[in-house]
PDB file of all heavy atoms in Angstrom:
ATOM      1  N   LYS Q 807       0.905   4.903 -11.127  1.00  0.00           N
ATOM      2  CA  LYS Q 807       0.526   5.637 -12.342  1.00  0.00           C
ATOM      3  C   LYS Q 807      -0.576   6.652 -12.042  1.00  0.00           C
ATOM      4  O   LYS Q 807      -0.524   7.799 -12.503  1.00  0.00           O
ATOM      5  CB  LYS Q 807       0.058   4.651 -13.415  1.00  0.00           C
ATOM      6  CG  LYS Q 807      -0.531   5.287 -14.665  1.00  0.00           C
ATOM      7  CD  LYS Q 807       0.461   6.172 -15.411  1.00  0.00           C
ATOM      8  CE  LYS Q 807      -0.148   6.672 -16.720  1.00  0.00           C
ATOM      9  NZ  LYS Q 807       0.758   7.648 -17.405  1.00  0.00           N
ATOM     10  N   TYR Q 808      -1.560   6.239 -11.261  1.00  0.00           N
ATOM     11  CA  TYR Q 808      -2.657   7.150 -10.910  1.00  0.00           C
ATOM     12  C   TYR Q 808      -2.118   8.389 -10.197  1.00  0.00           C
ATOM     13  O   TYR Q 808      -2.477   9.529 -10.524  1.00  0.00           O
ATOM     14  CB  TYR Q 808      -3.662   6.412 -10.020  1.00  0.00           C
ATOM     15  CG  TYR Q 808      -4.924   7.191  -9.748  1.00  0.00           C
ATOM     16  CD1 TYR Q 808      -6.029   7.061 -10.580  1.00  0.00           C
ATOM     17  CD2 TYR Q 808      -5.012   8.074  -8.668  1.00  0.00           C
ATOM     18  CE1 TYR Q 808      -7.189   7.779 -10.339  1.00  0.00           C
ATOM     19  CE2 TYR Q 808      -6.163   8.792  -8.422  1.00  0.00           C
ATOM     20  CZ  TYR Q 808      -7.247   8.646  -9.263  1.00  0.00           C
ATOM     21  OH  TYR Q 808      -8.375   9.377  -9.026  1.00  0.00           O
ATOM     22  N   LEU Q 809      -1.224   8.181  -9.248  1.00  0.00           N
ATOM     23  CA  LEU Q 809      -0.678   9.302  -8.480  1.00  0.00           C
ATOM     24  C   LEU Q 809       0.279  10.147  -9.323  1.00  0.00           C
ATOM     25  O   LEU Q 809       0.437  11.359  -9.071  1.00  0.00           O
ATOM     26  CB  LEU Q 809       0.012   8.779  -7.223  1.00  0.00           C
ATOM     27  CG  LEU Q 809      -0.935   8.134  -6.209  1.00  0.00           C
ATOM     28  CD1 LEU Q 809      -0.147   7.455  -5.095  1.00  0.00           C
ATOM     29  CD2 LEU Q 809      -1.905   9.162  -5.624  1.00  0.00           C
ATOM     30  N   THR Q 810       0.898   9.541 -10.324  1.00  0.00           N
ATOM     31  CA  THR Q 810       1.705  10.311 -11.266  1.00  0.00           C
ATOM     32  C   THR Q 810       0.835  11.326 -12.002  1.00  0.00           C
ATOM     33  O   THR Q 810       1.222  12.490 -12.195  1.00  0.00           O
ATOM     34  CB  THR Q 810       2.394   9.378 -12.281  1.00  0.00           C
ATOM     35  OG1 THR Q 810       3.318   8.539 -11.580  1.00  0.00           O
ATOM     36  CG2 THR Q 810       3.141  10.164 -13.342  1.00  0.00           C
ATOM     37  N   GLU Q 811      -0.359  10.902 -12.401  1.00  0.00           N
ATOM     38  CA  GLU Q 811      -1.289  11.812 -13.083  1.00  0.00           C
ATOM     39  C   GLU Q 811      -1.777  12.900 -12.123  1.00  0.00           C
ATOM     40  O   GLU Q 811      -1.932  14.062 -12.519  1.00  0.00           O
ATOM     41  CB  GLU Q 811      -2.482  11.022 -13.641  1.00  0.00           C
ATOM     42  CG  GLU Q 811      -2.115  10.007 -14.709  1.00  0.00           C
ATOM     43  CD  GLU Q 811      -1.420  10.644 -15.899  1.00  0.00           C
ATOM     44  OE1 GLU Q 811      -1.801  11.764 -16.291  1.00  0.00           O
ATOM     45  OE2 GLU Q 811      -0.479  10.022 -16.434  1.00  0.00           O
ATOM     46  N   VAL Q 812      -2.006  12.527 -10.861  1.00  0.00           N
ATOM     47  CA  VAL Q 812      -2.418  13.528  -9.869  1.00  0.00           C
ATOM     48  C   VAL Q 812      -1.335  14.593  -9.717  1.00  0.00           C
ATOM     49  O   VAL Q 812      -1.616  15.798  -9.740  1.00  0.00           O
ATOM     50  CB  VAL Q 812      -2.710  12.871  -8.508  1.00  0.00           C
ATOM     51  CG1 VAL Q 812      -2.929  13.941  -7.438  1.00  0.00           C
ATOM     52  CG2 VAL Q 812      -3.940  11.975  -8.590  1.00  0.00           C
ATOM     53  N   GLU Q 813      -0.084  14.170  -9.579  1.00  0.00           N
ATOM     54  CA  GLU Q 813       0.996  15.144  -9.386  1.00  0.00           C
ATOM     55  C   GLU Q 813       1.215  16.011 -10.617  1.00  0.00           C
ATOM     56  O   GLU Q 813       1.622  17.175 -10.497  1.00  0.00           O
ATOM     57  CB  GLU Q 813       2.289  14.436  -8.989  1.00  0.00           C
ATOM     58  CG  GLU Q 813       2.311  14.005  -7.538  1.00  0.00           C
ATOM     59  CD  GLU Q 813       3.682  13.702  -6.995  1.00  0.00           C
ATOM     60  OE1 GLU Q 813       4.571  13.305  -7.782  1.00  0.00           O
ATOM     61  OE2 GLU Q 813       3.881  13.851  -5.758  1.00  0.00           O
ATOM     62  N   ALA Q 814       0.944  15.475 -11.796  1.00  0.00           N
ATOM     63  CA  ALA Q 814       1.037  16.296 -13.006  1.00  0.00           C
ATOM     64  C   ALA Q 814       0.028  17.445 -12.951  1.00  0.00           C
ATOM     65  O   ALA Q 814       0.328  18.582 -13.348  1.00  0.00           O
ATOM     66  CB  ALA Q 814       0.808  15.435 -14.246  1.00  0.00           C
ATOM     67  N   LYS Q 815      -1.172  17.150 -12.427  1.00  0.00           N
ATOM     68  CA  LYS Q 815      -2.188  18.204 -12.257  1.00  0.00           C
ATOM     69  C   LYS Q 815      -1.793  19.179 -11.152  1.00  0.00           C
ATOM     70  O   LYS Q 815      -2.014  20.392 -11.255  1.00  0.00           O
ATOM     71  CB  LYS Q 815      -3.544  17.572 -11.940  1.00  0.00           C
ATOM     72  CG  LYS Q 815      -4.218  16.919 -13.126  1.00  0.00           C
ATOM     73  CD  LYS Q 815      -4.668  17.948 -14.146  1.00  0.00           C
ATOM     74  CE  LYS Q 815      -5.474  17.304 -15.263  1.00  0.00           C
ATOM     75  NZ  LYS Q 815      -5.874  18.318 -16.288  1.00  0.00           N
ATOM     76  N   LEU Q 816      -1.215  18.652 -10.074  1.00  0.00           N
ATOM     77  CA  LEU Q 816      -0.796  19.523  -8.977  1.00  0.00           C
ATOM     78  C   LEU Q 816       0.254  20.523  -9.446  1.00  0.00           C
ATOM     79  O   LEU Q 816       0.264  21.683  -9.011  1.00  0.00           O
ATOM     80  CB  LEU Q 816      -0.240  18.692  -7.820  1.00  0.00           C
ATOM     81  CG  LEU Q 816      -1.218  17.806  -7.055  1.00  0.00           C
ATOM     82  CD1 LEU Q 816      -0.498  17.066  -5.933  1.00  0.00           C
ATOM     83  CD2 LEU Q 816      -2.372  18.633  -6.486  1.00  0.00           C
ATOM     84  N   ALA Q 817       1.140  20.094 -10.314  1.00  0.00           N
ATOM     85  CA  ALA Q 817       2.180  20.991 -10.827  1.00  0.00           C
ATOM     86  C   ALA Q 817       1.574  22.170 -11.566  1.00  0.00           C
ATOM     87  O   ALA Q 817       2.135  23.278 -11.559  1.00  0.00           O
ATOM     88  CB  ALA Q 817       3.125  20.224 -11.745  1.00  0.00           C
ATOM     89  N   GLN Q 818       0.398  21.959 -12.161  1.00  0.00           N
ATOM     90  CA  GLN Q 818      -0.296  23.031 -12.884  1.00  0.00           C
ATOM     91  C   GLN Q 818      -1.135  23.896 -11.939  1.00  0.00           C
ATOM     92  O   GLN Q 818      -1.097  25.129 -12.022  1.00  0.00           O
ATOM     93  CB  GLN Q 818      -1.202  22.431 -13.966  1.00  0.00           C
ATOM     94  CG  GLN Q 818      -0.477  21.630 -15.028  1.00  0.00           C
ATOM     95  CD  GLN Q 818      -1.442  20.905 -15.955  1.00  0.00           C
ATOM     96  OE1 GLN Q 818      -2.665  21.095 -15.881  1.00  0.00           O
ATOM     97  NE2 GLN Q 818      -0.909  20.056 -16.816  1.00  0.00           N
ATOM     98  N   GLN Q 819      -1.864  23.235 -11.055  1.00  0.00           N
ATOM     99  CA  GLN Q 819      -2.845  23.950 -10.237  1.00  0.00           C
ATOM    100  C   GLN Q 819      -2.288  24.438  -8.904  1.00  0.00           C
ATOM    101  O   GLN Q 819      -2.816  25.377  -8.323  1.00  0.00           O
ATOM    102  CB  GLN Q 819      -4.062  23.042  -9.999  1.00  0.00           C
ATOM    103  CG  GLN Q 819      -4.754  22.646 -11.298  1.00  0.00           C
ATOM    104  CD  GLN Q 819      -5.972  21.780 -11.065  1.00  0.00           C
ATOM    105  OE1 GLN Q 819      -6.407  21.592  -9.929  1.00  0.00           O
ATOM    106  NE2 GLN Q 819      -6.532  21.234 -12.135  1.00  0.00           N
ATOM    107  N   HIS Q 820      -1.256  23.774  -8.409  1.00  0.00           N
ATOM    108  CA  HIS Q 820      -0.619  24.160  -7.144  1.00  0.00           C
ATOM    109  C   HIS Q 820       0.900  24.173  -7.330  1.00  0.00           C
ATOM    110  O   HIS Q 820       1.611  23.359  -6.735  1.00  0.00           O
ATOM    111  CB  HIS Q 820      -0.995  23.176  -6.027  1.00  0.00           C
ATOM    112  CG  HIS Q 820      -2.457  23.085  -5.736  1.00  0.00           C
ATOM    113  ND1 HIS Q 820      -3.091  23.906  -4.823  1.00  0.00           N
ATOM    114  CD2 HIS Q 820      -3.414  22.274  -6.246  1.00  0.00           C
ATOM    115  CE1 HIS Q 820      -4.380  23.585  -4.765  1.00  0.00           C
ATOM    116  NE2 HIS Q 820      -4.596  22.602  -5.619  1.00  0.00           N
ATOM    117  N   PRO Q 821       1.406  25.067  -8.170  1.00  0.00           N
ATOM    118  CA  PRO Q 821       2.845  25.042  -8.466  1.00  0.00           C
ATOM    119  C   PRO Q 821       3.735  25.235  -7.247  1.00  0.00           C
ATOM    120  O   PRO Q 821       4.889  24.813  -7.253  1.00  0.00           O
ATOM    121  CB  PRO Q 821       3.024  26.189  -9.466  1.00  0.00           C
ATOM    122  CG  PRO Q 821       1.812  27.058  -9.275  1.00  0.00           C
ATOM    123  CD  PRO Q 821       0.703  26.147  -8.884  1.00  0.00           C
ATOM    124  N   ASP Q 822       3.199  25.836  -6.192  1.00  0.00           N
ATOM    125  CA  ASP Q 822       3.980  25.993  -4.957  1.00  0.00           C
ATOM    126  C   ASP Q 822       3.938  24.742  -4.085  1.00  0.00           C
ATOM    127  O   ASP Q 822       4.729  24.612  -3.139  1.00  0.00           O
ATOM    128  CB  ASP Q 822       3.451  27.191  -4.156  1.00  0.00           C
ATOM    129  CG  ASP Q 822       1.974  27.050  -3.802  1.00  0.00           C
ATOM    130  OD1 ASP Q 822       1.220  26.452  -4.604  1.00  0.00           O
ATOM    131  OD2 ASP Q 822       1.581  27.529  -2.728  1.00  0.00           O
ATOM    132  N   ARG Q 823       3.014  23.792  -4.409  1.00  0.00           N
ATOM    133  CA  ARG Q 823       2.892  22.539  -3.646  1.00  0.00           C
ATOM    134  C   ARG Q 823       2.641  21.381  -4.620  1.00  0.00           C
ATOM    135  O   ARG Q 823       1.566  20.804  -4.651  1.00  0.00           O
ATOM    136  CB  ARG Q 823       1.751  22.639  -2.633  1.00  0.00           C
ATOM    137  CG  ARG Q 823       1.972  23.661  -1.529  1.00  0.00           C
ATOM    138  CD  ARG Q 823       0.894  23.557  -0.467  1.00  0.00           C
ATOM    139  NE  ARG Q 823      -0.433  23.814  -1.024  1.00  0.00           N
ATOM    140  CZ  ARG Q 823      -1.569  23.311  -0.542  1.00  0.00           C
ATOM    141  NH1 ARG Q 823      -1.532  22.486   0.502  1.00  0.00           N
ATOM    142  NH2 ARG Q 823      -2.726  23.603  -1.086  1.00  0.00           N
ATOM    143  N   PRO Q 824       3.650  21.008  -5.398  1.00  0.00           N
ATOM    144  CA  PRO Q 824       3.433  20.012  -6.451  1.00  0.00           C
ATOM    145  C   PRO Q 824       3.514  18.558  -5.999  1.00  0.00           C
ATOM    146  O   PRO Q 824       3.232  17.659  -6.783  1.00  0.00           O
ATOM    147  CB  PRO Q 824       4.572  20.316  -7.427  1.00  0.00           C
ATOM    148  CG  PRO Q 824       5.678  20.811  -6.542  1.00  0.00           C
ATOM    149  CD  PRO Q 824       5.004  21.581  -5.438  1.00  0.00           C
ATOM    150  N   ARG Q 825       3.910  18.318  -4.746  1.00  0.00           N
ATOM    151  CA  ARG Q 825       4.098  16.947  -4.278  1.00  0.00           C
ATOM    152  C   ARG Q 825       2.938  16.511  -3.389  1.00  0.00           C
ATOM    153  O   ARG Q 825       2.369  17.308  -2.640  1.00  0.00           O
ATOM    154  CB  ARG Q 825       5.412  16.819  -3.507  1.00  0.00           C
ATOM    155  CG  ARG Q 825       6.640  17.057  -4.369  1.00  0.00           C
ATOM    156  CD  ARG Q 825       6.958  15.844  -5.234  1.00  0.00           C
ATOM    157  NE  ARG Q 825       8.012  16.163  -6.179  1.00  0.00           N
ATOM    158  CZ  ARG Q 825       7.810  16.451  -7.462  1.00  0.00           C
ATOM    159  NH1 ARG Q 825       6.583  16.443  -7.956  1.00  0.00           N
ATOM    160  NH2 ARG Q 825       8.822  16.724  -8.269  1.00  0.00           N
ATOM    161  N   LEU Q 826       2.657  15.220  -3.413  1.00  0.00           N
ATOM    162  CA  LEU Q 826       1.507  14.696  -2.676  1.00  0.00           C
ATOM    163  C   LEU Q 826       1.656  14.847  -1.168  1.00  0.00           C
ATOM    164  O   LEU Q 826       0.664  15.077  -0.465  1.00  0.00           O
ATOM    165  CB  LEU Q 826       1.294  13.224  -3.040  1.00  0.00           C
ATOM    166  CG  LEU Q 826       0.662  13.027  -4.428  1.00  0.00           C
ATOM    167  CD1 LEU Q 826       0.976  11.648  -4.968  1.00  0.00           C
ATOM    168  CD2 LEU Q 826      -0.843  13.247  -4.357  1.00  0.00           C
ATOM    169  N   TYR Q 827       2.865  14.715  -0.647  1.00  0.00           N
ATOM    170  CA  TYR Q 827       3.035  14.833   0.806  1.00  0.00           C
ATOM    171  C   TYR Q 827       2.619  16.199   1.320  1.00  0.00           C
ATOM    172  O   TYR Q 827       2.292  16.364   2.502  1.00  0.00           O
ATOM    173  CB  TYR Q 827       4.486  14.538   1.204  1.00  0.00           C
ATOM    174  CG  TYR Q 827       5.463  15.664   0.974  1.00  0.00           C
ATOM    175  CD1 TYR Q 827       5.640  16.666   1.927  1.00  0.00           C
ATOM    176  CD2 TYR Q 827       6.208  15.744  -0.198  1.00  0.00           C
ATOM    177  CE1 TYR Q 827       6.531  17.715   1.719  1.00  0.00           C
ATOM    178  CE2 TYR Q 827       7.097  16.773  -0.426  1.00  0.00           C
ATOM    179  CZ  TYR Q 827       7.256  17.752   0.533  1.00  0.00           C
ATOM    180  OH  TYR Q 827       8.128  18.794   0.319  1.00  0.00           O
ATOM    181  N   GLN Q 828       2.610  17.201   0.440  1.00  0.00           N
ATOM    182  CA  GLN Q 828       2.228  18.554   0.834  1.00  0.00           C
ATOM    183  C   GLN Q 828       0.719  18.726   0.974  1.00  0.00           C
ATOM    184  O   GLN Q 828       0.257  19.771   1.420  1.00  0.00           O
ATOM    185  CB  GLN Q 828       2.774  19.551  -0.187  1.00  0.00           C
ATOM    186  CG  GLN Q 828       4.304  19.568  -0.240  1.00  0.00           C
ATOM    187  CD  GLN Q 828       4.842  20.357  -1.410  1.00  0.00           C
ATOM    188  OE1 GLN Q 828       4.497  20.114  -2.570  1.00  0.00           O
ATOM    189  NE2 GLN Q 828       5.688  21.332  -1.120  1.00  0.00           N
ATOM    190  N   HIS Q 829      -0.039  17.695   0.622  1.00  0.00           N
ATOM    191  CA  HIS Q 829      -1.509  17.789   0.643  1.00  0.00           C
ATOM    192  C   HIS Q 829      -2.167  16.791   1.580  1.00  0.00           C
ATOM    193  O   HIS Q 829      -3.375  16.899   1.833  1.00  0.00           O
ATOM    194  CB  HIS Q 829      -2.053  17.595  -0.774  1.00  0.00           C
ATOM    195  CG  HIS Q 829      -1.612  18.646  -1.742  1.00  0.00           C
ATOM    196  ND1 HIS Q 829      -2.340  19.777  -2.002  1.00  0.00           N
ATOM    197  CD2 HIS Q 829      -0.478  18.746  -2.488  1.00  0.00           C
ATOM    198  CE1 HIS Q 829      -1.692  20.528  -2.882  1.00  0.00           C
ATOM    199  NE2 HIS Q 829      -0.556  19.921  -3.190  1.00  0.00           N
ATOM    200  N   PHE Q 830      -1.409  15.805   2.077  1.00  0.00           N
ATOM    201  CA  PHE Q 830      -1.998  14.792   2.948  1.00  0.00           C
ATOM    202  C   PHE Q 830      -1.367  14.847   4.330  1.00  0.00           C
ATOM    203  O   PHE Q 830      -0.153  14.974   4.477  1.00  0.00           O
ATOM    204  CB  PHE Q 830      -1.824  13.397   2.344  1.00  0.00           C
ATOM    205  CG  PHE Q 830      -2.713  13.141   1.161  1.00  0.00           C
ATOM    206  CD1 PHE Q 830      -2.228  13.278  -0.131  1.00  0.00           C
ATOM    207  CD2 PHE Q 830      -4.042  12.788   1.340  1.00  0.00           C
ATOM    208  CE1 PHE Q 830      -3.044  13.054  -1.233  1.00  0.00           C
ATOM    209  CE2 PHE Q 830      -4.879  12.576   0.253  1.00  0.00           C
ATOM    210  CZ  PHE Q 830      -4.379  12.708  -1.038  1.00  0.00           C
ATOM    211  N   ASP Q 831      -2.219  14.726   5.351  1.00  0.00           N
ATOM    212  CA  ASP Q 831      -1.761  14.740   6.742  1.00  0.00           C
ATOM    213  C   ASP Q 831      -1.284  13.366   7.201  1.00  0.00           C
ATOM    214  O   ASP Q 831      -0.531  13.265   8.172  1.00  0.00           O
ATOM    215  CB  ASP Q 831      -2.901  15.208   7.654  1.00  0.00           C
ATOM    216  CG  ASP Q 831      -3.383  16.596   7.273  1.00  0.00           C
ATOM    217  OD1 ASP Q 831      -2.668  17.562   7.556  1.00  0.00           O
ATOM    218  OD2 ASP Q 831      -4.480  16.697   6.674  1.00  0.00           O
ATOM    219  N   LEU Q 832      -1.732  12.317   6.514  1.00  0.00           N
ATOM    220  CA  LEU Q 832      -1.338  10.954   6.858  1.00  0.00           C
ATOM    221  C   LEU Q 832      -1.379  10.120   5.588  1.00  0.00           C
ATOM    222  O   LEU Q 832      -2.351  10.170   4.830  1.00  0.00           O
ATOM    223  CB  LEU Q 832      -2.293  10.363   7.899  1.00  0.00           C
ATOM    224  CG  LEU Q 832      -2.036   8.923   8.347  1.00  0.00           C
ATOM    225  CD1 LEU Q 832      -0.688   8.799   9.052  1.00  0.00           C
ATOM    226  CD2 LEU Q 832      -3.164   8.433   9.263  1.00  0.00           C
ATOM    227  N   ILE Q 833      -0.298   9.362   5.342  1.00  0.00           N
ATOM    228  CA  ILE Q 833      -0.261   8.422   4.226  1.00  0.00           C
ATOM    229  C   ILE Q 833      -0.058   7.029   4.803  1.00  0.00           C
ATOM    230  O   ILE Q 833       0.895   6.780   5.535  1.00  0.00           O
ATOM    231  CB  ILE Q 833       0.869   8.751   3.229  1.00  0.00           C
ATOM    232  CG1 ILE Q 833       0.717  10.176   2.694  1.00  0.00           C
ATOM    233  CG2 ILE Q 833       0.847   7.760   2.068  1.00  0.00           C
ATOM    234  CD1 ILE Q 833       1.811  10.604   1.718  1.00  0.00           C
ATOM    235  N   ALA Q 834      -0.986   6.129   4.478  1.00  0.00           N
ATOM    236  CA  ALA Q 834      -0.903   4.741   4.944  1.00  0.00           C
ATOM    237  C   ALA Q 834      -0.681   3.838   3.742  1.00  0.00           C
ATOM    238  O   ALA Q 834      -1.244   4.069   2.667  1.00  0.00           O
ATOM    239  CB  ALA Q 834      -2.192   4.341   5.661  1.00  0.00           C
ATOM    240  N   GLY Q 835       0.149   2.813   3.921  1.00  0.00           N
ATOM    241  CA  GLY Q 835       0.389   1.896   2.814  1.00  0.00           C
ATOM    242  C   GLY Q 835       0.838   0.549   3.320  1.00  0.00           C
ATOM    243  O   GLY Q 835       1.600   0.453   4.283  1.00  0.00           O
TER     244      GLY Q 835
END
Side-chain angles (χ1 to χ4, degrees):
K807 173 61 175 175
Y808 188 91
L809 294 171
T810 296
E811 296 302 322
V812 171
E813 283 198 332
K815 286 291 186 182
L816 292 181
Q818 299 172 7
Q819 299 181 9
H820 300 271
D822 58 327
R823 295 188 299 152
R825 295 283 172 259
L826 285 157
Y827 79 85
Q828 297 170 305
H829 297 267
F830 287 98
D831 301 286
L832 179 63
I833 303 179

